[in-house]
Amino acid sequence: MTASALAAAGLYAGLNMLIMFWLANAIGVLRRGHKIAVGDGGNKHLAKIMRGQANAAENMPLFLIMLVVAAATGMAEWLVHLFGLAFTAGRALHAWHFIQPKAPLWQRFAGFGIAGLSTFILAIWMIVAGLRAAFGG
């Protein structure tokens, strides 16, 4: 375990939290503008951003847990940056799609695809590392 690999994982945890704040701010701006205190008030754009935020809340924690565990168990710092940067860039693109009132669908697919691929590859990495550790490989 290296402190720099853990610090790198912390960097991406912080950046992803900023993406969540970005989404929350966009929700707040729309709520204030349309005087909607609870729920989406039937506003399709607000419902869209809220769904984007929920998707981020569903995906970010597990990815970041895996990234921290990978860093703590010896993943090279450059790999932590590779996975973290890809995931974060994908999540930012995905969020940008949801924040815009009218956005091209490629942003959503590309953002989720980049983040999803990073998550999938990191999950496989973690499974292989865990099996190696468990069976002495």
Side-chain angles (χ1 to χ4, degrees):
M1 171 177 81
T2 66
S4 58
L6 278 173
L11 168 66
Y12 298 106
L15 290 171
N16 278 274
M17 192 64 232
L18 291 179
I19 293 169
M20 289 296 285
F21 281 129
W22 184 31
L23 287 160
N25 182 66
I27 289 168
V29 167
L30 266 179
R31 282 185 188 281
R32 283 187 300 280
H34 294 282
K35 297 181 174 45
I36 300 169
V38 178
D40 62 30
N43 183 298
K44 289 185 180 186
H45 186 206
L46 181 56
K48 178 182 168 185
I49 298 174
M50 289 171 65
R51 186 57 221 143
Q53 183 187 42
N55 185 276
E58 293 161 2
N59 287 279
M60 285 177 179
L62 292 175
F63 176 84
L64 293 167
I65 289 167
M66 286 194 304
L67 193 63
V68 167
V69 170
T73 56
M75 178 179 272
E77 181 183 353
W78 71 270
L79 282 170
V80 173
H81 281 293
L82 179 70
F83 283 113
L85 183 60
F87 180 82
T88 303
R91 291 310 317 178
L93 183 58
H94 191 262
W96 177 237
H97 169 81
F98 280 86
I99 288 171
Q100 298 174 80
K102 294 189 185 239
L105 202 52
W106 72 263
Q107 291 174 343
R108 181 179 181 188
F109 289 134
F112 189 78
I114 293 165
L117 185 60
S118 331
T119 303
F120 180 77
I121 294 170
L122 183 56
I124 298 301
W125 177 288
M126 296 301 301
I127 291 167
V128 169
L131 288 173
R132 282 186 178 161
F135 296 107

